[in-house]
Amino acid sequence: MRRRAHAVLLLALLVIAGCANIPEESTPHAVRDEQQLVTEAPVSPPTPNLNAFDLVREFVRRSGNPESAKLYLTERAQSSWIGDTKPTIIDDIFGSVPLPSENARESAEDQGGVEGARVTVLLRVTLLGRLGPDSAFLPGVGEAEHRVGVVRENGQWRIDDPPPGVFVTRSDFNVSYRPVTVYFFDPDLRITVPDQRYVLAEPESGLPTRVFSVLLYGPSDSMARSLDSPIEDVGSRTNVVPDADGTLVVDLVPLGDKSKEQREMIAAQLVLSLQEVTSNRLRIKGDGQDLIDGHGDWRLSDIKQYDAATKPSTDTPGLVSSGGRLRTLLDGKPVPGPAGDGQYNVVSAAQSIDGRQLAVVTKVGEQLRLRVGRYGEPLQEVDFDATTMSRPTWRVSTAEGQDASEVWTVEDGNVVRVVRTGDETWKSVEVNASALDSFGAIHELRLSRDGTRAAMITSAGKLVVAAVVRDKDSVSLALPRTLQPRTIVDAVGVDWLNQHTLAVVTGQVSMPVLRVSVDGLTMDLYDSNNLQFPMHAVTAAPERNVVVTDNAAVLLVGGLGQVWRQVQNGQGPTAIPFYPG
C-alpha cells in the first residue's frame, strides 16, 4: 500500500503540476522529482592532475553528490554507474592501493604521462551500514575490497570500472545527507512515533519535498508491521514549496471520506515531520479544500500532543530498589505498602508510565517471582517461578484514562508478557522472540514508552533493538539489529531517553555512559570524570536527568558535557534506579 502512495506522489511530481483544479488561492508550482532536485546541488570537478589512487579516494569522498562523482568517470562508466542508488556508509579511514600482484613500478604515478595507460586500484573499506530503499540506516559492519579500473584519458586519470554502488565515508555522509524524523502512529492510533530517515541535504530548498516524499513512503521497512500511517494511500498534486506569502503549501489527494479525527492525525504527521526543515506555516489542502474546514494554516501549536502518554508526569519523579525495598529516588523514603515496608524481598521493579501501578520482582527462597498491582497496595503474584528474571518494563496504556495492562520481562531466557485478564488477574504469555535466537541470551529488556520497539542487552554485552509486532493472536520481536557492534562490546544496562534515543551504560572504562540513536548511526559519550567503575544500572526518560549507579553511588546528569552529581539518598552501589516505563 505504501508503495502505491509513493507512486502517486512520483506521478504527481512528473505530470500534474498544471492540474486545472489546483485551488485558485494557491500559486501553482512546477513539480519535479527528487532526482531533478538533486541535480541542482553544487557540482565540483575533480582536482586536476591527481594520480589514480588519489583520484579514487576523492571519488569516494565526492560520492555523496552523484553529479560531482560522475565527473570522475569515463563516458563509458558514466552510462553504467548507478550513482543515485542509496549509499553504503564506510569508515573515514579507507585505502586505495595497488593490487598486491602488480609491480610497484607499474603504478599510476609511473604511468602518469602515458595516454591510455590503465591501472587497477584496490579499494579497501570498513563497512558501517547502508541506507535502505526507505532512506533508513541499516547497521552492517565488515571489511570489503573492490577492484577499481582507472585509465589515462585526455591527460587525466578517470575511473573506467567503478566500484559497485555508492560508498560514502561517515564524515561525508554527515555533510551530504541530513537526518530527518518523520512521524507515524502506534497500532492503537493514539501515540505519534518518530522514525529516523536520511535525505540529501542539498539543495536546501528541496528539503520539504524530500521529507514529504519519505513520509508518503510510509514507516521504515523495519517498522512497517509495528506502525500505522493515516496518510497512507494519499499523494500530492504538487511538491512542497512556498506560496507567495511564504507559507508552505501541501496539496493532498485523494482524501475522500476521511474523518475529522483522521485528518487531524494527518496534519500532525505533516507538521511534526516538516518542523525540522522549515519554520514556515503549513497550508494543508485536501482535494482542493482546507484539510479541515475553517483551518487553513497549521503550526506546531495547532496539533494535539499525541506523545503526551510517553512522558512520565513530574508527579512521578522516579524510584529506586535497594536492600529488598522500594524507595523514592528524591528523598530515599520507602514507598507505601508492602513493596516499601519490607514485606516483599524486592530484587527489581518498574512503575507504569502514569505512576499508578507497580511490577515487582521478588525473591522467595531460591526462586524469583513477579508481583503486579496498584502503587501502594498489596501486589498480585503471577503464577510462574524463575531462577533469572530481568527488571520488568511496562507497555503504555492502550486507552486514555485506563490502567496499563501489560508488563514484559525475560524469565529464564524467555521473553514474556504478563497481561491483565478479564477477571482482573494477571497471566504470562510468551512472546515470539525466535528472531533473536542467534543473538544469544537476553540479559535486559526495555520497551520504548510508545510500545513499538524493544531495546535489549545480550549476555555477550551487545546492544540490540527490535520492532514489536502485534498480530491478531500473537506478539513478536522482529528484525533485531545490533547497534554500534564494533564499539559497544560490554553493555550493562539500557533505557529510553526518548522515543528515538537510548541511554546505555557499559563495562568499558573508555565509554561508561553513552547516548545512542535508535538506528545506531550516532553515538555520544557522557562525561566520565566523576564516575567510579564498574557501572551497574541506568535509567532515563524524556525531559529528565539521566541517572546511573556506579561502583560507589547513584548519580545524575542533565546532559552531555555536564558533571555527574551524586543523589544524596540514592542508596549506594547496589541500588537500581528507575523512572516510570
Side-chain angles (χ1 to χ4, degrees):
M1 299 291 280
R2 84 171 75 176
R3 305 298 191 272
R4 193 167 71 196
H6 195 55
V8 170
L9 172 67
L10 293 180
L11 180 62
L13 296 179
L14 290 171
V15 300
I16 321 180
C19 185
N21 56 359
I22 291 177
E24 293 181 0
E25 66 268 25
S26 296
T27 304
H29 300 282
V31 185
R32 297 156 293 170
D33 64 21
E34 183 174 344
Q35 186 55 35
Q36 286 176 303
L37 290 170
V38 170
T39 61
E40 295 180 359
V43 176
S44 302
T47 301
N49 302 317
L50 290 176
N51 63 55
F53 307 107
D54 288 340
L55 181 86
V56 170
R57 293 182 64 81
E58 192 170 279
F59 165 76
V60 171
R61 295 199 175 280
R62 296 276 177 86
S63 292
N65 183 331
E67 295 306 309
S68 288
K70 281 185 178 180
L71 300 180
Y72 291 74
L73 308 178
T74 63
E75 184 175 342
R76 184 187 74 84
Q78 287 182 17
S79 64
S80 61
W81 184 65
I82 307 176
D84 58 355
T85 189
K86 300 294 185 182
T88 295
I89 297 95
I90 63 175
D91 192 76
D92 287 344
I93 300 175
F94 64 95
S96 57
V97 298
L99 283 175
S101 59
E102 290 190 355
N103 191 309
R105 294 180 182 275
E106 299 298 317
S107 69
E109 288 87 344
D110 294 329
Q111 298 183 18
V114 180
E115 189 71 12
R118 305 184 67 88
V119 67
T120 301
V121 176
L122 189 63
L123 177 63
R124 292 174 173 164
V125 299
T126 298
L127 306 175
L128 301 180
R130 61 183 175 85
L131 287 193
D134 53 0
S135 300
F137 175 72
L138 305 171
V141 299
E143 307 294 331
E145 291 186 347
H146 298 283
R147 297 187 179 193
V148 181
V150 187
V151 63
R152 189 76 174 176
E153 184 177 87
N154 298 322
Q156 301 291 328
W157 288 103
R158 291 295 179 262
I159 296 171
D160 194 48
D161 186 13
V166 176
F167 294 95
V168 180
T169 66
R170 170 64 184 274
S171 294
D172 294 324
F173 178 80
N174 290 341
V175 172
S176 299
Y177 283 80
R178 176 164 177 170
V180 295
T181 305
V182 289
Y183 285 80
F184 303 97
F185 279 82
D186 74 316
D188 298 312
L189 292 174
R190 291 184 59 234
I191 300 171
T192 47
V193 182
D195 199 4
Q196 186 87 349
R197 313 291 259 279
Y198 299 86
V199 299
L200 284 163
E202 296 291 344
E204 189 173 354
S205 60
L207 278 171
T209 292
R210 295 197 286 279
V211 173
F212 182 50
S213 177
V214 170
L215 178 63
L216 289 192
Y217 179 97
S220 57
D221 294 343
S222 65
M223 297 298 293
R225 296 171 59 201
S226 303
L227 301 179
D228 203 331
S229 180
I231 205 172
E232 186 179 28
D233 291 330
V234 175
S236 175
R237 288 185 292 189
T238 65
N239 50 342
V240 183
V241 290
D243 210 341
D245 62 358
T247 303
L248 287 183
V249 179
V250 183
D251 193 1
L252 302 173
V253 62
L255 285 183
D257 59 355
K258 287 187 181 294
S259 67
K260 180 181 178 182
E261 183 180 19
Q262 290 173 316
R263 290 169 183 249
E264 287 176 343
M265 289 190 286
I266 288 173
Q269 287 186 272
L270 287 165
V271 173
L272 290 170
S273 299
L274 291 170
Q275 65 176 331
E276 295 182 6
V277 296
T278 182
S279 58
N280 298 39
R281 296 189 308 274
L282 290 184
R283 184 164 298 147
I284 306 176
K285 300 289 185 181
D287 299 325
Q289 306 297 321
D290 287 344
L291 178 67
I292 294 177
D293 288 343
H295 198 147
D297 294 355
W298 294 78
R299 290 188 180 274
L300 190 61
S301 57
D302 295 320
I303 65 173
K304 296 179 182 178
Q305 292 188 346
Y306 289 99
D307 65 345
T310 69
K311 298 176 179 179
S313 166
T314 54
D315 296 332
T316 53
L319 303 175
V320 60
S321 61
S322 178
R325 302 188 183 200
L326 285 187
R327 301 174 183 272
T328 58
L329 185 60
L330 288 182
D331 58 19
K333 294 180 179 179
V335 303
D341 66 14
Q343 293 185 51
Y344 304 148
N345 184 7
V346 176
V347 176
S348 65
Q351 187 177 23
S352 60
I353 297 177
D354 61 16
R356 296 199 293 252
Q357 298 181 96
L358 289 175
V360 175
V361 176
T362 66
K363 189 168 186 180
V364 181
E366 296 302 315
Q367 295 293 306
L368 298 176
R369 295 179 182 174
L370 184 68
R371 289 181 175 270
V372 186
R374 304 286 293 185
Y375 180 88
E377 299 178 6
L379 307 177
Q380 181 185 141
E381 190 171 85
V382 182
D383 188 21
F384 67 83
D385 293 336
T387 55
T388 63
M389 192 180 302
S390 68
R391 185 167 79 82
T393 179
W394 283 89
R395 182 192 180 193
V396 66
S397 171
T398 57
E400 188 173 353
Q402 293 186 9
D403 286 343
S405 59
E406 184 173 309
V407 180
W408 288 44
T409 185
V410 183
E411 54 94 8
D412 291 340
N414 301 308
V415 181
V416 297
R417 299 182 297 133
V418 178
V419 298
R420 191 200 311 273
T421 64
D423 60 0
E424 295 301 309
T425 60
W426 295 80
K427 70 173 184 178
S428 64
V429 182
E430 190 165 342
V431 174
N432 180 359
S434 59
L436 290 158
D437 287 348
S438 63
F439 288 74
I442 303 302
H443 173 71
E444 183 169 347
L445 183 149
R446 310 302 306 155
L447 283 179
S448 60
R449 289 182 175 86
D450 53 43
T452 63
R453 296 178 173 97
M456 293 157 282
I457 304 296
T458 71
S459 57
K462 295 296 186 179
L463 174 63
V464 177
V465 169
V468 176
V469 177
R470 295 183 178 273
D471 297 317
K472 182 177 180 181
D473 299 317
S474 65
V475 177
S476 60
L477 293 173
L479 299 172
R481 296 170 181 177
T482 302
L483 307 188
Q484 293 282 335
R486 288 179 175 273
T487 307
I488 302 175
V489 296
D490 189 14
V492 174
V494 63
D495 206 351
W496 291 88
L497 184 63
N498 52 45
Q499 290 175 277
H500 50 81
T501 314
L502 299 166
V504 183
V505 291
T506 80
Q508 298 164 242
V509 175
S510 61
M511 40 188 287
V513 189
L514 314 171
R515 186 179 70 183
V516 184
S517 63
V518 71
D519 62 6
L521 181 59
T522 61
M523 182 184 76
D524 301 292
L525 305 184
Y526 285 90
D527 188 275
S528 61
N529 287 330
N530 287 7
L531 301 177
Q532 297 189 37
F533 306 100
M535 309 303 297
H536 299 298
V538 62
T539 190
E543 302 168 9
R544 300 287 186 93
N545 294 317
V546 174
V547 181
V548 301
T549 304
D550 68 5
N551 208 36
V554 176
L555 304 100
L556 59 81
V557 73
L560 296 174
Q562 298 184 22
V563 177
W564 292 94
R565 295 178 287 117
Q566 184 172 336
V567 178
Q568 293 303 315
N569 299 288
Q571 307 302 310
T574 62
I576 304 175
F578 57 95
Y579 290 126

